[in-house]
Amino acid sequence: MIGIICAMEEELTSIVRNLDVTTSHIPSKSDFDVYTARYGRHELVFILCGIGKVNAAIHTQMLIDSYSIEYLINVGVAGSLSADLTFGDVVVASDLVEHDMDVSGFGLPLGQIPRMDVFAFKSDPILLECADKIKIANHKTVIGRIVSGDQFIDSKEKAEFLHSHFNALACEMEGAAIAHTCHVNNIPFIVIRALSDMAGRDGVAAHSFEELKNMTANHSSNVVKQLLALI
Ligand code: ADE
Protein backbone atom coordinates (compact mmCIF):
# COMPACT_ATOMS: atom_id res chain seq x y z
CA MET A 1 0.00 0.00 0.00
CA ILE A 2 1.15 3.55 -0.66
CA GLY A 3 0.47 6.02 2.15
CA ILE A 4 -0.30 9.65 1.34
CA ILE A 5 -0.18 12.06 4.26
CA CYS A 6 -1.30 15.68 4.20
CA ALA A 7 -1.40 18.27 6.97
CA MET A 8 -4.43 20.23 5.76
CA GLU A 9 -7.78 19.26 4.33
CA GLU A 10 -7.19 21.55 1.31
CA GLU A 11 -4.09 19.51 0.43
CA LEU A 12 -5.89 16.18 0.80
CA THR A 13 -8.86 17.38 -1.28
CA SER A 14 -6.49 18.56 -3.99
CA ILE A 15 -4.73 15.21 -4.30
CA VAL A 16 -8.00 13.24 -4.31
CA ARG A 17 -9.38 15.57 -7.01
CA ASN A 18 -6.22 15.32 -9.11
CA LEU A 19 -6.14 11.53 -8.97
CA ASP A 20 -9.89 11.44 -9.60
CA VAL A 21 -10.34 8.54 -7.17
CA THR A 22 -13.34 7.50 -5.12
CA THR A 23 -12.30 7.29 -1.49
CA SER A 24 -13.77 5.18 1.31
CA HIS A 25 -13.67 6.70 4.75
CA ILE A 26 -12.28 4.28 7.33
CA PRO A 27 -14.09 4.76 10.63
CA SER A 28 -11.82 5.05 13.64
CA LYS A 29 -12.43 5.43 17.36
CA SER A 30 -9.92 8.28 17.53
CA ASP A 31 -9.68 11.54 15.60
CA PHE A 32 -7.76 10.00 12.70
CA ASP A 33 -9.26 10.73 9.29
CA VAL A 34 -8.25 7.79 7.09
CA TYR A 35 -9.44 7.10 3.52
CA THR A 36 -8.53 4.36 1.07
CA ALA A 37 -8.76 4.25 -2.71
CA ARG A 38 -7.51 2.24 -5.67
CA TYR A 39 -5.52 4.15 -8.28
CA GLY A 40 -4.45 2.05 -11.26
CA ARG A 41 -2.29 -0.74 -9.86
CA HIS A 42 -1.84 1.02 -6.50
CA GLU A 43 -3.81 0.67 -3.26
CA LEU A 44 -3.66 4.07 -1.58
CA VAL A 45 -4.29 5.05 2.01
CA PHE A 46 -4.73 8.74 2.77
CA ILE A 47 -4.44 10.34 6.18
CA LEU A 48 -5.03 13.90 7.29
CA CYS A 49 -2.47 14.60 10.01
CA GLY A 50 -3.08 18.19 11.09
CA ILE A 51 -0.45 20.87 11.49
CA GLY A 52 2.94 20.63 13.17
CA LYS A 53 5.62 18.05 13.87
CA VAL A 54 3.90 16.14 16.68
CA ASN A 55 0.64 15.70 14.76
CA ALA A 56 2.66 14.60 11.75
CA ALA A 57 4.67 12.03 13.71
CA ILE A 58 1.62 10.56 15.51
CA HIS A 59 -0.31 10.09 12.28
CA THR A 60 2.67 8.68 10.39
CA GLN A 61 3.24 6.08 13.10
CA MET A 62 -0.46 5.21 13.16
CA LEU A 63 -0.42 4.67 9.38
CA ILE A 64 2.70 2.49 9.58
CA ASP A 65 1.27 0.43 12.45
CA SER A 66 -2.14 -0.09 10.83
CA TYR A 67 -1.30 -0.67 7.15
CA SER A 68 1.37 -2.46 5.20
CA ILE A 69 3.05 0.69 3.86
CA GLU A 70 5.45 0.18 0.98
CA TYR A 71 6.08 3.89 0.34
CA LEU A 72 4.93 6.99 2.16
CA ILE A 73 4.38 10.27 0.33
CA ASN A 74 3.89 13.60 2.11
CA VAL A 75 2.33 16.20 -0.13
CA GLY A 76 1.35 19.81 0.42
CA VAL A 77 2.59 23.39 0.43
CA ALA A 78 5.66 25.19 1.80
CA GLY A 79 7.32 28.59 2.02
CA SER A 80 10.08 29.38 -0.49
CA LEU A 81 13.54 30.05 0.95
CA SER A 82 15.27 30.57 -2.40
CA ALA A 83 15.26 33.64 -4.61
CA ASP A 84 15.23 31.25 -7.59
CA LEU A 85 11.92 29.67 -6.61
CA THR A 86 8.55 31.34 -6.80
CA PHE A 87 4.84 30.71 -6.13
CA GLY A 88 3.69 27.40 -7.58
CA ASP A 89 7.16 25.92 -8.10
CA VAL A 90 7.57 22.49 -6.51
CA VAL A 91 10.35 21.33 -4.19
CA VAL A 92 10.89 17.59 -3.82
CA ALA A 93 12.89 17.00 -0.65
CA SER A 94 16.31 15.43 -1.15
CA ASP A 95 16.47 15.37 2.63
CA LEU A 96 14.84 17.05 5.61
CA VAL A 97 15.98 18.65 8.87
CA GLU A 98 14.02 19.73 11.96
CA HIS A 99 15.27 23.33 12.00
CA ASP A 100 13.91 24.08 15.48
CA MET A 101 15.82 21.24 17.16
CA ASP A 102 18.49 23.18 19.09
CA VAL A 103 20.92 21.41 21.39
CA SER A 104 23.76 23.78 20.47
CA GLY A 105 24.40 24.28 24.20
CA PHE A 106 25.97 20.80 24.11
CA GLY A 107 27.97 21.62 20.98
CA LEU A 108 25.60 19.99 18.49
CA PRO A 109 24.86 21.73 15.19
CA LEU A 110 21.45 23.36 14.99
CA GLY A 111 18.96 20.76 13.71
CA GLN A 112 20.88 17.74 15.00
CA ILE A 113 18.69 15.46 17.10
CA PRO A 114 20.84 14.21 20.00
CA ARG A 115 21.84 10.54 19.78
CA MET A 116 20.31 10.15 16.33
CA ASP A 117 22.37 8.36 13.70
CA VAL A 118 21.76 10.99 10.98
CA PHE A 119 21.62 14.79 10.70
CA ALA A 120 19.11 14.92 7.83
CA PHE A 121 16.48 12.35 6.81
CA LYS A 122 16.92 11.37 3.17
CA SER A 123 14.04 10.73 0.77
CA ASP A 124 14.08 7.30 -0.84
CA PRO A 125 16.56 7.21 -3.78
CA ILE A 126 14.20 5.23 -6.05
CA LEU A 127 11.35 7.69 -5.49
CA LEU A 128 13.78 10.59 -6.03
CA GLU A 129 14.97 9.09 -9.30
CA CYS A 130 11.33 8.92 -10.46
CA ALA A 131 10.62 12.45 -9.20
CA ASP A 132 13.60 13.78 -11.12
CA LYS A 133 11.80 12.91 -14.39
CA ILE A 134 8.66 14.89 -13.51
CA LYS A 135 7.78 18.22 -15.08
CA ILE A 136 4.80 20.54 -14.59
CA ALA A 137 3.68 23.23 -17.02
CA ASN A 138 5.11 26.73 -16.48
CA HIS A 139 6.77 25.88 -13.17
CA LYS A 140 10.02 24.49 -11.87
CA THR A 141 10.23 21.14 -10.09
CA VAL A 142 13.51 20.97 -8.15
CA ILE A 143 15.11 18.56 -5.71
CA GLY A 144 16.66 20.04 -2.57
CA ARG A 145 16.57 20.24 1.20
CA ILE A 146 13.37 21.07 3.07
CA VAL A 147 13.42 22.19 6.71
CA SER A 148 10.50 21.78 9.13
CA GLY A 149 9.68 23.37 12.46
CA ASP A 150 6.73 24.30 14.65
CA GLN A 151 6.79 27.84 13.25
CA PHE A 152 5.10 29.54 10.32
CA ILE A 153 8.05 31.40 8.80
CA ASP A 154 7.00 34.97 8.06
CA SER A 155 10.22 36.96 8.41
CA LYS A 156 12.90 37.91 5.89
CA GLU A 157 15.68 37.41 8.47
CA LYS A 158 14.48 33.95 9.52
CA ALA A 159 13.91 32.85 5.92
CA GLU A 160 17.39 34.03 4.90
CA PHE A 161 18.91 32.32 7.92
CA LEU A 162 17.22 28.96 7.14
CA HIS A 163 18.36 29.21 3.54
CA SER A 164 21.98 30.07 4.29
CA HIS A 165 22.44 27.95 7.42
CA PHE A 166 20.78 24.76 6.19
CA ASN A 167 21.12 25.30 2.45
CA ALA A 168 17.35 24.66 2.37
CA LEU A 169 14.99 25.54 -0.48
CA ALA A 170 11.70 25.40 1.40
CA CYS A 171 10.24 25.45 4.89
CA GLU A 172 7.11 23.84 6.28
CA MET A 173 5.85 22.30 9.52
CA GLU A 174 5.59 18.50 9.11
CA GLY A 175 7.90 16.97 6.49
CA ALA A 176 10.96 16.31 8.68
CA ALA A 177 8.80 14.75 11.42
CA ILE A 178 7.21 12.40 8.87
CA ALA A 179 10.69 11.65 7.51
CA HIS A 180 12.01 11.06 11.05
CA THR A 181 9.18 8.59 11.80
CA CYS A 182 9.74 6.78 8.49
CA HIS A 183 13.49 6.61 9.18
CA VAL A 184 12.93 5.00 12.59
CA ASN A 185 10.50 2.47 11.04
CA ASN A 186 12.62 1.88 7.93
CA ILE A 187 9.85 2.98 5.54
CA PRO A 188 10.86 4.63 2.23
CA PHE A 189 9.36 8.11 1.88
CA ILE A 190 9.34 11.25 -0.21
CA VAL A 191 8.15 14.79 0.58
CA ILE A 192 6.69 16.94 -2.21
CA ARG A 193 5.76 20.57 -1.54
CA ALA A 194 4.55 23.39 -3.80
CA LEU A 195 5.45 26.94 -2.80
CA SER A 196 2.51 28.95 -1.48
CA ASP A 197 4.51 31.92 -0.11
CA MET A 198 7.94 33.47 0.17
CA ALA A 199 8.28 32.72 3.93
CA GLY A 200 8.22 36.47 4.66
CA ARG A 201 10.94 37.50 2.21
CA ASP A 202 8.31 39.71 0.55
CA GLY A 203 6.65 40.66 3.85
CA VAL A 204 3.28 38.97 3.13
CA ALA A 205 3.70 35.24 3.79
CA ALA A 206 0.48 34.67 5.75
CA HIS A 207 -1.58 36.61 3.22
CA SER A 208 -0.06 34.85 0.22
CA PHE A 209 -0.38 31.45 1.93
CA GLU A 210 -4.14 32.00 2.36
CA GLU A 211 -4.54 33.26 -1.21
CA LEU A 212 -2.44 30.66 -2.98
CA LYS A 213 -2.54 27.45 -0.94
CA ASN A 214 -5.27 25.83 -3.07
CA MET A 215 -3.69 26.73 -6.39
CA THR A 216 -0.25 25.59 -5.28
CA ALA A 217 -1.50 22.41 -3.58
CA ASN A 218 -2.78 21.52 -7.02
CA HIS A 219 0.81 21.63 -8.36
CA SER A 220 2.22 19.27 -5.72
CA SER A 221 -0.74 16.93 -6.30
CA ASN A 222 0.04 16.95 -10.00
CA VAL A 223 3.61 15.84 -9.21
CA VAL A 224 2.28 13.01 -6.99
CA LYS A 225 -0.01 11.88 -9.80
CA GLN A 226 2.95 11.66 -12.16
CA LEU A 227 5.04 9.94 -9.52
CA LEU A 228 2.38 7.24 -8.98
CA ALA A 229 2.49 6.49 -12.69
CA LEU A 230 6.23 5.85 -12.42
CA ILE A 231 6.30 3.56 -9.36
N1 ADE B 1 3.81 26.17 4.95
C1 ADE B 1 3.57 26.99 3.91
N2 ADE B 1 4.24 28.15 4.05
C2 ADE B 1 4.94 28.06 5.21
C3 ADE B 1 5.79 28.94 5.90
N3 ADE B 1 6.06 30.16 5.44
N4 ADE B 1 6.32 28.52 7.09
C4 ADE B 1 6.01 27.29 7.56
N5 ADE B 1 5.19 26.43 6.95
C5 ADE B 1 4.65 26.80 5.77
Side-chain angles (χ1 to χ4, degrees):
M1 240 176 168
I2 297 181
I4 298 186
I5 182 161
C6 299
M8 299 185 301
E9 200 154 352
E10 300 88 317
E11 295 164 333
L12 190 72
T13 310
S14 166
I15 177 89
V16 168
R17 195 182 45 238
N18 254 281
L19 297 179
D20 195 19
V21 286
T22 308
T23 55
S24 314
H25 186 246
I26 308 295
S28 99
K29 277 193 224 120
S30 59
D31 266 354
F32 297 118
D33 268 321
V34 181
Y35 304 85
T36 55
R38 170 155 274 283
Y39 180 68
R41 60 184 181 281
H42 299 303
E43 279 297 332
L44 306 178
V45 54
F46 299 90
I47 194 164
L48 185 63
C49 73
I51 293 168
K53 300 201 320 292
V54 174
N55 276 329
I58 294 169
H59 287 76
T60 305
Q61 189 62 53
M62 180 271 185
L63 212 53
I64 292 169
D65 288 345
S66 310
Y67 297 89
S68 172
I69 302 289
E70 198 183 345
Y71 293 116
L72 201 140
I73 303 172
N74 170 225
V75 55
V77 298
S80 167
L81 299 175
S82 162
D84 295 335
L85 296 174
T86 192
F87 307 103
D89 290 345
V90 175
V91 179
V92 177
S94 52
D95 61 2
L96 301 102
V97 178
E98 294 171 27
H99 69 74
D100 54 355
M101 172 58 73
D102 183 356
V103 190
S104 53
F106 281 82
L108 297 185
L110 189 63
Q112 175 67 54
I113 301 163
R115 304 182 187 191
M116 192 98 213
D117 55 340
V118 294
F119 173 69
F121 302 104
K122 285 189 180 23
S123 288
D124 179 63
I126 295 169
L127 295 179
L128 276 177
E129 208 180 301
C130 295
D132 203 24
K133 300 185 182 125
I134 294 171
K135 297 208 172 4
I136 51 169
N138 306 322
H139 285 279
K140 290 182 187 161
T141 302
V142 298
I143 295 178
R145 178 169 286 169
I146 293 181
V147 287
S148 315
D150 288 318
Q151 298 163 3
F152 183 82
I153 306 299
D154 194 359
S155 124
K156 189 172 189 298
E157 290 69 36
K158 184 85 195 198
E160 286 177 355
F161 171 76
L162 293 176
H163 180 56
S164 60
H165 188 83
F166 291 106
N167 195 20
L169 300 183
C171 59
E172 37 81 314
M173 301 176 70
E174 298 83 21
I178 293 165
H180 182 160
T181 311
C182 286
H183 174 79
V184 168
N185 288 275
N186 217 5
I187 300 289
F189 69 88
I190 195 162
V191 176
I192 298 169
R193 298 278 183 151
L195 303 174
S196 57
D197 57 82
M198 296 293 112
R201 291 182 295 114
D202 58 358
V204 291
H207 176 73
S208 133
F209 171 82
E210 279 305 334
E211 289 269 294
L212 298 176
K213 64 178 185 303
N214 293 340
M215 181 277 277
T216 48
N218 195 36
H219 290 185
S220 45
S221 303
N222 187 313
V223 171
V224 173
K225 183 177 179 173
Q226 296 188 54
L227 180 67
L228 289 174
L230 294 171
I231 55 181

